[in-house]
Amino acid sequence: MAPVSSIDPFSAEFLRDPWPRHEELREAGPVVWLERYGIWGMARYEEVHAVLLDWETFCSSAGVGLSNFRTEKPWRRPSLLLEADPPQHSRARKAINRALSPRTVRELKAEFDQSAAALATDLVGRGDVDGVRDIAEAFPLDVFPRAIGLPQGEAQAKEARAHTREALLTYGNLAFNAFGPRNELTRKAASASGPAIEWITARCERSALLPGGLAARVYECADEGLVTEEEAGLLVRSLLTAGVDTTVVALEQALRGLATHPEQWKLLHDDPSLAGPAFEESVRWGSPVQTFFRTATREVTVAGTTIKPDEKVLLFLAAANRDARRFQDPDRFDIRRKAVGHVGFGAGIHLCVGAAFARMEGEAVLAALASEAASIELAGDPVPRLNNTLCGFSSLPLRLSS
Ligand code: 8QM
């Protein structure tokens, strides 16, 4: 008999500080019955990793949130990437892989570094800043819309840029809450999201996107017959959904880790080439995307527990990333550790397609900040931003000094 837990992983209490509950779930057993939702939970690295690799048994096409698309109507058309299995997934993935090829992403590096350097100079000049608004949101919202090719009017059209940022964040907040139950968080995110949904939908059209951007590259895949025009639009929607909040929260986790571990900041300040590993460790330690679901396609036994077809499995990526069976001293934020193998970007066929883009953003920001600021510390209590999937903050008061 599998252990049964009454933990609600989508309650405010859980989301405010998930780490002690992760430990509980991990130690309860390899497979835990979460009675509150009638679903299975896995919080150990070995099982989480194995399930991610076995897409035939644990599918994504029934949705990677709590809702089962076989019996419930999704809140939007399912993603061709995230909420699909081979062979449909393979075709979409091929197109998006091509649009986000390593070469394409590398071409953005100079721009990212430049934007990060300007930001860092400004921040250190100010001293007291909000790590969320002034860094973690400011950077991605600067570079991402430009990289995608979202038109934002003239350089001085501040209003248009603010509108873009607002729409991207509102939409992301909705999408990531919607993977959870229809709780207060999801309802609240949905209630004010109409204009953002319309905005995103309109931006997915070919005619709304600038030539030369990543979105235009997705449409080139339609020109080549790899996907249809309509599919290209949905793939652009994937970029707009998955590309912002994830990197915002990753940067928040990086800043929190570094601000609370002065010795780690010193290492980074002395050697900014550690920015890459520091970002990777932040994704392991903070797991911006905390959970995803899979759905069993057949009866399967995992570590002695039988899972029936159509049953939902909640994968605690964040708990797996802090499993002492896999990572030594896992709660320690250590930018010199080999964080490779973490499941913060997932694993298997759905492994984050934007990881290179995200890593380049993280590396640019951390390297620029580390070379400008000799110290970074909390100047107040971080305020968690509760979300059914993301582990971020609504405010992170920081003090930087040169
Ligand atoms: C999460 O729409 C999508 O295809 C999509 C949405 C969210 C994600 C990924 C893809 C994992 C970052």
Side-chain angles (χ1 to χ4, degrees):
M1 279 282 281
V4 176
S5 170
S6 60
I7 285 177
D8 177 356
F10 302 105
S11 66
E13 184 248 337
F14 184 101
L15 296 170
R16 204 170 288 127
D17 183 18
W19 312 104
R21 295 285 164 265
H22 287 163
E23 162 97 26
E24 231 177 275
L25 289 165
R26 236 178 0 240
E27 298 320 309
V31 183
V32 182
W33 181 250
L34 299 172
E35 60 180 6
R36 172 81 173 69
Y37 296 103
I39 58 175
W40 299 103
M42 299 184 192
R44 294 187 185 175
Y45 182 89
E46 187 181 331
E47 283 75 23
V48 167
H49 189 247
V51 167
L52 287 171
L53 294 188
D54 186 359
W55 56 267
E56 286 179 288
T57 309
F58 299 99
C59 78
S60 292
S61 55
V64 297
L66 177 63
S67 165
N68 189 328
F69 290 0
R70 311 256 186 269
T71 52
E72 288 173 88
K73 189 176 177 312
W75 70 277
R76 60 173 195 172
R77 274 185 65 184
S79 162
L80 299 176
L81 281 168
L82 184 74
E83 294 153 338
D85 303 322
Q88 291 82 4
H89 169 267
S90 327
R91 209 159 49 82
R93 177 77 188 212
K94 197 169 168 184
I96 209 83
N97 275 347
R98 184 176 303 184
L100 292 182
S101 75
R103 217 192 88 207
T104 317
V105 173
R106 239 181 288 122
E107 280 171 9
L108 295 162
K109 181 166 165 40
E111 202 183 318
F112 283 19
D113 287 344
Q114 209 174 5
S115 169
L119 181 70
T121 306
D122 176 58
L123 290 165
V124 174
R126 286 162 57 191
D128 278 18
V129 301
D130 178 16
V132 174
R133 192 193 48 219
D134 301 326
I135 307 175
E137 290 182 353
F139 182 79
L141 289 173
D142 179 36
V143 300
F144 180 84
R146 241 180 304 135
I148 293 292
L150 291 173
Q152 297 180 80
E154 301 300 309
Q156 60 270 39
K158 254 197 166 149
E159 250 170 65
R161 287 211 306 276
H163 190 74
T164 299
R165 293 162 191 209
E166 164 76 21
L168 286 169
L169 291 178
T170 302
Y171 191 82
N173 187 52
L174 168 61
F176 285 97
N177 272 314
F179 292 121
R182 298 251 147 116
N183 58 13
E184 194 56 32
L185 287 168
T186 307
R187 279 196 297 273
K188 202 160 159 247
S191 73
S193 61
I197 295 176
E198 276 176 39
W199 188 94
I200 293 283
T201 308
R203 295 302 137 143
C204 294
E205 297 285 323
R206 188 197 283 259
S207 60
L209 297 157
L210 298 174
L214 297 177
R217 291 183 55 89
V218 175
Y219 273 103
E220 280 167 25
C221 294
D223 296 335
E224 289 163 29
L226 219 60
V227 291
T228 67
E229 185 85 3
E230 201 196 7
E231 288 170 334
L234 273 175
L235 292 177
V236 172
R237 192 193 70 178
S238 284
L239 296 180
L240 300 181
T241 310
V244 178
D245 286 62
T246 46
T247 51
V248 168
V249 172
L251 285 169
E252 289 169 6
Q253 290 292 351
L255 292 169
R256 182 178 68 117
L258 290 162
T260 53
H261 295 76
E263 81 291 351
Q264 299 293 314
W265 184 262
K266 187 173 177 342
L267 288 171
L268 185 58
H269 177 68
D270 292 344
D271 180 9
S273 78
L274 284 171
F279 185 72
E280 207 61 35
E281 171 67 347
S282 304
V283 176
R284 182 201 67 84
W285 180 76
S287 297
V289 175
Q290 295 259 302
T291 47
F292 262 129
F293 288 82
R294 292 293 188 260
T295 309
T297 56
R298 60 173 175 92
E299 186 171 300
V300 57
T301 300
V302 177
T305 297
T306 300
I307 298 174
K308 294 215 262 315
D310 247 16
E311 287 183 334
K312 283 270 174 181
V313 180
L314 177 53
L315 304 177
F316 290 91
L317 306 177
N321 279 340
R322 291 195 186 198
D323 186 348
R325 296 166 188 81
R326 175 64 179 75
F327 298 100
Q328 211 177 8
D329 206 354
D331 293 325
R332 220 176 104 218
F333 179 75
D334 174 5
I335 68 173
R336 284 186 300 185
R337 84 159 71 226
K338 302 214 181 328
V340 291
H342 71 74
V343 287
F345 286 116
I349 64 167
H350 290 280
L351 181 71
C352 178
V353 69
F357 189 102
R359 287 181 171 122
M360 218 168 68
E361 284 187 71
E363 192 173 347
V365 173
L366 297 184
L369 269 181
S371 38
E372 294 270 342
S375 77
I376 181 170
E377 53 189 12
L378 287 184
D381 288 335
V383 181
R385 168 167 76 108
L386 303 194
N387 180 288
N388 284 325
T389 305
L390 301 170
C391 186
F393 297 90
S394 59
S395 131
L396 202 52
L398 295 176
R399 183 160 305 143
L400 302 169
S401 56
S402 52

